[in-house]
Amino acid sequence: MVKKYQNYLSYPIGLFLAILVFSVTLLLLGYDPISALVSIPTGAFGRPNSISETLIRFIPLLLTALAFLIALKARFMNLGVEGQLYIGGLLAYLIGARMEIVPSFIALPLIFIAGFMGGVLWLAIPLIMKTKLGINEIFPTVVMNFIAMFVIAWLTIGPLKDPNTFNPRTPFLPESTWLPLLDPKYRLHVGIFLVVIIALIIYIIMYKTTIGYKIRAVGQNPRASEHGGVNVTRVVITAGLLSGGIAGIAGVLEVFGVHHYLIRGFSPGFGFQGIAVAALGIFHPIGVIFAAFFFAVLQIGGESMQRGAGIPVDIIFIMVAVLVLTVLIVQKWMTTRKSS
Amino acid sequence: MIEFITSILAGGVLLSVTILFVSIGEVYNERAGVINLGLEAIITLGAFVGLWVTFETGDYILGTLAAIVSGAGVGLIHSLTCVKMRVNQLIAGLLILSLAAGLANFLYNIVLKKTVPIVTTLPSIYIPFLSDIPVLGEILFQHNAFVYLAYFLAIVFGLILYKTTLGLKIRAVGENPEACDAAGINVNLIRHLCDIFSGAMAGLAGAYLSLGYLGLYDSGIAGGRGWIAIIVVIFSRWSPYRAILGSLIFGLGYSVAANLIGGGYIPSNWNYLVLIMPYLVALVVIVLFRGTTKAPSALTVPYWRK
């Protein structure tokens, strides 16, 4: 048995390696790694506005990580979170754009339902292919991402385009559908509370309810669960639909909380980044809250570093990959060392 | 009309090359029991490295070799992570995706501070006599060296896989690693080599995109072809020969889209809808070719002596 603290030991090791890679790269290129490193937390927390931006980034990272992990728990590798996020945002936009005279306490629930359904719809195709035809979900989910991306790109320069701008985007949504801001001076919206609540709900579902128990059982050993009287297909469908729906909600929060219109590429790869977040949070609903926050800090801090010292923000993604790979390797090494 | 069709078919051959390079490597990898989901980003990295080295030295061969080495290096990281350390192959591949793409874009943005790396694309080689055949010559025999190389390698590596002891070992390792180990075959060595090879081929595919096709780098240069290549591997039932056919089908899909857009047959704000086509083809392929044959039994299962 691996003791809990040994899992945590992998984090300082991973962080050390990530910072090492970061520093050596910058040294070789003639930058000052210390000041670059310091500029990351300063950029993420230095001013009230940067804290607001960090929390805004935290929102989609947490949701996409949750979407990925809940499906993974039932052994469904949902690589289509990116596409589900897009279509969730799209469907919610189509509803929201028609809600000009509807009071927001009616409009917003409809918008969230539409977003959830959009994500579900986009996952339904790979899910049906998996459960009815026995097709591995990895490739259909990836292909659906590309289709979603092109659909959004087409709509935002074609049929839904705002004719008064050159940007690939739709007109603004009615203001009554915008998610309320925490403080009118900053962009941070109430979605921040919603995502933490969603994380807690998923924790409760996964660890305190029968359906969560079934999902975990199927993930551990589908064949044994089947023999134990669990309807494996139904469990995979439940987990899959929750996953797609949460991804769709992530799209709603980006469109109605941040942009207030649909714009081409409104997700800069959140769906894929969520996978790394989920891995860093040991695929646990509470763990990913911390992991998503950490990623958000790195990204916003990194963007500020790019503006300041001119170091391309892409180095953050290298750091993150090194960190998570190291964490996974060390954790695996400790498990296997103990068991053999 | 003939010209339009010729242009589509010739474009199909051109656009199949990236997919073919990648799928040859991934056929080997999966035959040995390893899947690398990071190929899309390794193409991107190979494209940048190939372009940059060629730009700096003026030597296309050196640039191509550098791209291959960079791809092999990333393949090695993947194999160390999941063959040696037995981390989940799929998760490791997805992290490789972030690593290699991050590396490519980081380096590109560093280079961009000083200069914009651009090269002229490799010139076409007209095969004597064959290239003079009407229509067919233009479609098949008026391409640059990468194109011929891709088809040549598909056949060579097909032969190696089916006709040599090494090929037999690779296929056996992916089917029954325990038996191979008992027979004295170093299972994980073969898997390491195949994983590195698959990375190297993705790097080569990237070099083709930047040196042989576009002459420049863009963060979206791989354009989904890494993913399509892995789907082609399934379609080809893990055979380098059939990967030729699979790559051509998708190459044609991309080419039809490109020709419709490039020829102005489509209103420009509908371009993106046309670009969906290859992916719809992919979905259909996945459905039609499900279960026609079994994947290597030990695919994604790490091996160690218990």
Side-chain angles (χ1 to χ4, degrees):
Chain A
M1 238 351 247
V2 190
K3 297 206 176 67
K4 263 265 161 69
Y5 72 88
Q6 290 183 327
N7 262 338
Y8 298 134
L9 199 64
S10 59
Y11 290 94
I13 300 174
L15 203 56
F16 173 76
L17 260 181
I19 291 175
L20 190 71
V21 168
F22 177 86
S23 308
V24 170
T25 313
L26 292 189
L27 264 182
L28 288 176
L29 292 167
Y31 292 101
D32 175 9
I34 305 288
S35 71
L37 211 53
V38 171
S39 75
I40 292 177
T42 331
F45 302 118
R47 287 173 301 126
N49 186 51
S50 40
I51 298 175
S52 152
E53 290 300 312
T54 302
L55 290 174
I56 290 174
R57 189 62 58 90
F58 164 75
I59 292 171
L61 289 176
L62 176 56
L63 281 186
T64 52
L66 287 169
F68 180 73
L69 85 83
I70 196 163
L72 189 74
K73 289 283 179 199
R75 279 206 190 179
F76 186 90
M77 195 95 175
N78 182 6
L79 300 188
V81 172
E82 182 84 354
Q84 292 142 26
L85 183 157
Y86 272 123
I87 300 302
L90 170 64
L91 232 62
Y93 171 83
L94 292 176
I95 299 288
R98 285 158 183 75
M99 292 285 162
E100 245 148 47
I101 51 160
V102 181
S104 49
F105 69 91
I106 299 175
L108 281 177
L110 288 176
I111 286 164
F112 275 93
I113 291 170
F116 191 92
M117 293 313 292
V120 165
L121 184 79
W122 216 242
L123 185 61
I125 298 165
L127 198 56
I128 291 169
M129 287 166 79
K130 163 117 178 170
T131 51
K132 293 282 171 211
L133 304 174
I135 295 169
N136 187 310
E137 67 278 11
I138 292 179
F139 304 109
T141 49
V142 168
V143 169
M144 295 301 281
N145 283 339
F146 285 102
I147 297 179
M149 246 150 47
F150 286 130
V151 166
I152 299 287
W154 162 61
L155 289 173
T156 50
I157 63 163
L160 294 181
K161 186 179 182 308
D162 180 353
N164 303 315
T165 170
F166 287 110
N167 293 327
R169 68 163 178 83
T170 64
F172 276 97
L173 285 155
E175 261 183 68
S176 60
T177 64
W178 297 9
L179 294 179
L181 301 177
L182 258 59
D183 179 326
K185 286 201 292 291
Y186 308 110
R187 299 202 303 157
L188 184 61
H189 54 88
V190 294
I192 183 77
F193 300 120
L194 185 67
V195 291
V196 176
I197 293 170
I198 291 177
L200 295 176
I201 291 175
I202 289 181
Y203 169 73
I204 293 168
I205 292 178
M206 293 304 294
Y207 294 95
K208 308 285 173 197
T209 67
T210 326
I211 179 65
Y213 177 77
K214 283 183 186 166
I215 289 176
R216 285 182 295 133
V218 168
Q220 295 279 334
N221 192 336
R223 212 167 286 170
S225 318
E226 188 89 62
H227 286 300
V230 177
N231 185 336
V232 172
T233 309
R234 188 181 293 168
V235 168
V236 172
I237 290 177
T238 312
L241 295 185
L242 262 177
S243 169
I246 290 168
I249 298 288
V252 176
L253 294 181
E254 286 308 288
V255 173
F256 290 79
V258 181
H259 301 290
H260 307 124
Y261 46 66
L262 208 61
I263 182 164
R264 184 174 74 198
F266 68 82
S267 162
F270 290 138
F272 282 106
Q273 292 162 24
I275 298 168
V277 175
L280 187 65
I282 344 179
F283 304 104
H284 188 285
I286 306 298
V288 295
I289 299 181
F290 297 101
F293 184 70
F294 182 69
F295 270 42
V297 169
L298 282 185
Q299 285 191 12
I300 299 298
E303 282 164 19
S304 137
M305 176 186 75
Q306 173 165 288
R307 286 191 301 272
I311 301 164
V313 66
D314 310 272
I315 197 165
I316 294 299
F317 293 100
I318 304 175
M319 258 178 109
V320 163
V322 171
L323 166 65
V324 182
L325 278 171
T326 314
V327 165
L328 291 177
I329 289 173
V330 173
Q331 286 178 358
K332 191 79 191 179
W333 180 67
M334 288 186 163
T335 329
T336 48
R337 197 186 50 139
K338 285 285 161 184
S339 62
S340 59
Chain B
M1 194 61 199
I2 291 279
E3 273 163 33
F4 183 61
I5 292 172
T6 314
S7 156
I8 285 181
L9 294 177
V13 173
L14 272 182
L15 287 161
S16 70
V17 173
T18 321
I19 302 171
L20 185 53
F21 276 134
V22 180
S23 50
I24 296 168
E26 189 62 5
V27 162
Y28 267 62
N29 205 9
E30 293 192 19
R31 281 284 186 161
V34 185
I35 186 165
N36 184 354
L37 292 184
L39 295 173
E40 172 87 359
I42 302 181
I43 300 175
T44 314
L45 181 63
F48 168 73
V49 171
L51 179 75
W52 183 41
V53 171
T54 306
F55 178 74
E56 292 290 337
T57 63
D59 188 339
Y60 285 82
I61 295 180
L62 203 62
T64 307
L65 288 177
I68 294 174
V69 170
S70 72
V74 179
L76 175 66
I77 296 176
H78 185 261
S79 82
L80 286 177
T81 310
C82 49
V83 177
K84 184 157 179 60
M85 299 312 296
R86 285 142 48 192
V87 170
N88 182 316
Q89 285 179 11
L90 306 174
I91 302 281
L94 295 165
L95 292 167
I96 292 290
L97 206 60
S98 159
L99 181 72
L103 196 58
N105 292 326
F106 176 74
L107 294 173
Y108 180 66
N109 283 318
I110 292 281
V111 171
L112 214 51
K113 283 176 190 298
K114 294 202 187 75
T115 171
V116 183
I118 293 177
V119 299
T120 46
T121 52
L122 271 187
S124 298
I125 299 170
Y126 288 71
I127 306 275
F129 308 116
L130 292 175
S131 62
D132 298 333
I133 305 170
V135 185
L136 203 62
E138 192 181 327
I139 296 170
L140 294 178
F141 302 112
Q142 299 181 8
H143 295 296
N144 64 47
F146 280 108
V147 181
Y148 304 123
L149 180 66
Y151 286 84
F152 175 69
L153 289 185
I155 292 164
V156 169
F157 284 110
L159 286 173
I160 294 177
L161 189 61
Y162 292 115
K163 304 285 179 199
T164 67
T165 329
L166 177 66
L168 181 65
K169 282 182 186 169
I170 290 172
R171 286 180 288 140
V173 158
E175 289 295 342
N176 195 339
E178 286 81 10
C180 290
D181 193 18
I185 298 170
N186 189 338
V187 172
N188 282 349
L189 177 67
I190 288 188
R191 289 187 171 177
H192 278 299
L193 291 177
C194 287
D195 210 356
I196 294 167
F197 174 65
S198 138
M201 290 300 282
L204 176 59
Y208 164 69
L209 276 181
S210 62
L211 300 179
Y213 188 67
L214 284 174
L216 48 81
Y217 171 82
D218 174 83
S219 62
I221 195 166
R225 292 180 185 87
W227 293 106
I228 293 290
I230 308 181
I231 293 170
V232 165
V233 171
I234 303 173
F235 164 85
S236 72
R237 289 174 269 157
W238 295 271
S239 150
Y241 302 136
R242 281 187 293 258
I244 296 179
L245 182 64
S247 305
L248 275 173
I249 291 176
F250 282 100
L252 271 177
Y254 279 110
S255 177
V256 169
N259 275 286
L260 284 176
I261 293 168
Y265 296 92
I266 303 286
S268 68
N269 52 1
W270 286 68
N271 284 354
Y272 285 109
L273 209 54
V274 180
L275 289 172
I276 292 177
M277 237 170 3
Y279 299 96
L280 291 180
V281 175
L283 270 190
V284 173
V285 162
I286 293 171
V287 172
L288 290 183
F289 287 81
R290 83 196 117 93
T292 44
T293 184
K294 209 167 62 58
S297 310
L299 191 57
T300 79
V301 185
Y303 178 74
W304 71 100
R305 283 194 194 140
K306 293 179 185 81

